[in-house]
Amino acid sequence: MPLLDELLRRGLISAEQHRYFTRAAAAKPFSLNGELQAVLYAGVLLLSAGLGGLIYQNLATIGHQAVIGLLVGVTFAGFYYAYRNQPAFSVTPVEPRTPLAAYALLLGCLSFLVLEGYLQAQYRFFGPRHGLAAFIPAVLFLGLAYYFDHRGVLSLALTALAAWAGVAITPLDALTKNDFAVPSLLYTALALGAGLVAVGRYQSRRGIKKHFTFTYLSFGGNLLLVATLAGLFTRDDQRPLYAALLAGLVFGFIAYARREHSFFFLLMAVLYGYAGVTYLVFRSGIADNFYVALFYLVLSCGGVIYFLLNSHKSASRES
Amino acid sequence: MTYVVAMQQGYLRPSNLRINNLRLMKAYNPAWLDALAVRRLAGWWRRKNWLTEEQLRQIEARYPAPFFTPNGFVRVGLFGFTAFFTLCATGLASLFVHPLLDSGGSAAFGVLYLLYGVGTGGALEYFIRRKHHYRSGIDDALLYFTLALGIGGLASLFWDAWGENVRWYCLLALPILIAGAIRYADRLVTALAYACLLTVVVLFGIRFGWGRWLLPFVGMAVSAGLYGMAKRGGNTNRTAPSYEGGAGEGQPFRYWAGCLWTVELLALLTFYLSGNYFTVREGHAALNDTTDYRQFSNPEIEAIEQRREAYYAEIGRLQTENDGLRADSLRGSQNQARIDANQQRIEANYRRRETLLYRDINTIRLAERERAAANVPLAGFFLGYTFLVPLLYLIAALRRRSRPVLWAGMLTLVLAALTYVRYFPPPSSAIAATAVGTLLIGLAYLSIRLLQKPAVEKRYRLTYRADEDDPSDEIRNAEAGLLAQTFSNRLPTPPDQGTQFGGGDFGGGGAGTRY
């Protein structure tokens, strides 16, 4: 290969390395990893969706006991397969012994949700205590996520936990599905967001499942920022309070992003911060004139671009 | 083919090829891009511990690539804010010149857009040449704005002449998009240019009687031709596997490796779609719509039209009668009853005319269309094509170890399944989903078990192991978020925590009360 020849000629690699790299490049197998995982994922999705539909369509012919039996069977088969292939618990990342185990666990979790929904719909299993129906998967999935070291199940657990508290937390739903005009919901969201961020920070400090930190911080931080912004928009009497809170959160996340080189949080903080500042500017009446408003937007966008360019540079110098 | 041989024998240095010396063809410094590939490769060797730290440093010193390429999230932010900035800036500028625009018509807009395009294009070149931006979000956004403004500006200039003839605008956009794709080697622009080219072929093809019938085969021929070109240029298979996704080391067209990869994938997809039963059948019906009002000749519809005329006449007669009755004020109450009865009949006639007749005509038109669709020529051939081509793609992908062919195979297999479900609907979608899901899991399981056998891996040079040592953390985090987003609706309903409708300033009223 011309490149390797060039490196050899320039004395950057040894003749032995040249031979080795040439052989390694020629012998390197074609990886089907991503594609097979996509097939597994699609299979699990289809199977759990199919099971969900199946039980409601065929109740008359197969009967309640058979339906419950089938769901319990699939759930336990998934959990059992995952359990059999799971090495001992550790606070550091753990790889299951077979790549299928993670998907078996996911299948178990999803069919558990189908089973629970079915029990509630058919037998009012939890009666009027809807909270319990969200609390049980939250606790179960949280335990499973830690034992099996599965980030996907952790995110399901956090979603269930938020649902139990009455808040929609997944990135898109947090923006669109929460009615923060209700004060109790706003405070719940603030408390839950702060709690998740605190747990994430505590864990990463103590070195427990450090790779879970991102999920905690992104779910919690997003909820916290959405709720703060909603408070800013809806609580006119407490506007300075929410403005200060937003400023604190934005600076906190930017500092965290720079320190940890986790630019997701930089982007998140910049977007929410920009929305808050722009709201305050327009609310103050400075930019009531259309020309002035556009002029403000041009200037502020330029400012954000300048900030992003420089924050990235300073962050990459540190590394 | 000669250059491949020449390359392999080392006679032909890529830098000696004329194409590399044309400054206009490449916006980004090609030497730095090559260096980037070397550094990526060296980094991989270092992670494998095949290089010493000292060697890595030497290689990086010898191959500088001082591009500004930020992290993906920063790139997203820069892209969004640059796009918003450009929109606001052009909007602000337009405010100042709008008295001129009002008098000038679409041509004035065209000139203005072209001027803006020159501005964004200048900024683009500035960021690339002076600031060394490469895929920074700023250059992406400015490139798309420049192309959109250029094409939009020219289209506005020709608006008065061309009106709504889409094909001329596509023909106009095509060279601009191709030039943009070549100079900036951008995948999205490449894909747009490809789509534009195919649209031109289709729009000009359907203007001829024979073109309509040959369209599937024209589509296949064009796709096959473009695939061949991309393959010869990109040579993605002949490149050593370790450079996959890299710069196509040593190939004369490696600057465009990403573009050629995109064309390869798209060509495979459009080759399939040209002969897919759904597209051929429905496209045939749409192009040969015999019930089109312009060529109206359906006796059933004519009969309905006549009935509609009769309703009109009846309504007119009843209204005249009512007018007469109202004028005759002597027998007030007696007349009122007849007036009311007539009024009811008038309304009933209106209803029949508005609803029933239109519905009838629509039913007939749909049936006619369905007849045209069912009469698609060579139906058996296209049905076979729909289900065979994906399998051929998959076999070819595994035999030749080609990523674009593999992806095309997987995507077209999904399309084939959707086509099957459309024309042969299964009795129960739940059973079908369960069966297909189980099948997919089983298939993936068997494949993984098979690929994990060292003998299989050695013989077929296929593996289940990930390309990098470990899948990147960011991908796994994104997966987790996606999972929660997908399944948030499966979770049990939470309690109604005092959430009530109304009073929502945020997000539009009661939208937030359902979780």
Side-chain angles (χ1 to χ4, degrees), chain B residues 276-320:
Chain B
N276 174 281
Y277 184 65
F278 173 80
T279 46
V280 172
R281 186 182 192 271
E282 304 305 319
H284 176 79
L287 288 177
N288 301 286
D289 195 346
T290 45
T291 57
D292 196 316
Y293 266 98
R294 274 165 296 178
Q295 29 189 316
F296 198 85
S297 67
N298 187 307
E300 285 176 89
I301 293 183
E302 266 170 27
I304 290 174
E305 286 287 338
Q306 276 169 13
R307 271 170 66 200
R308 193 162 69 163
E309 291 300 320
Y311 284 136
Y312 262 131
E314 176 74 1
I315 289 170
R317 195 186 61 74
L318 290 169
Q319 271 170 346
T320 324

Side-chain angles (χ1 to χ4, degrees), chain B residues 461-500:
Chain B
R461 280 178 49 208
L462 299 168
T463 181
Y464 179 69
R465 280 179 291 120
D467 242 345
E468 294 294 329
D469 300 349
D470 196 33
S472 105
D473 224 33
E474 280 172 10
I475 292 178
R476 285 196 170 189
N477 284 331
E479 263 175 21
L482 196 68
L483 191 71
Q485 190 68 53
T486 318
F487 290 105
S488 55
N489 60 340
R490 295 268 184 91
L491 287 165
T493 327
D496 286 331
Q497 250 205 0
T499 49
Q500 263 134 34

Side-chain angles (χ1 to χ4, degrees), chain B residues 204-228:
Chain B
F204 279 90
I206 59 172
R207 295 181 50 76
F208 304 101
W210 51 265
R212 294 185 180 192
W213 299 98
L214 286 181
L215 209 51
F217 301 101
V218 172
M220 289 180 208
V222 171
S223 308
L226 287 168
Y227 180 78

Side-chain angles (χ1 to χ4, degrees), chain A residues 64-78:
Chain A
H64 295 293
Q65 274 76 15
V67 165
I68 295 172
L70 178 70
L71 284 174
V72 170
V74 171
T75 308
F76 272 92

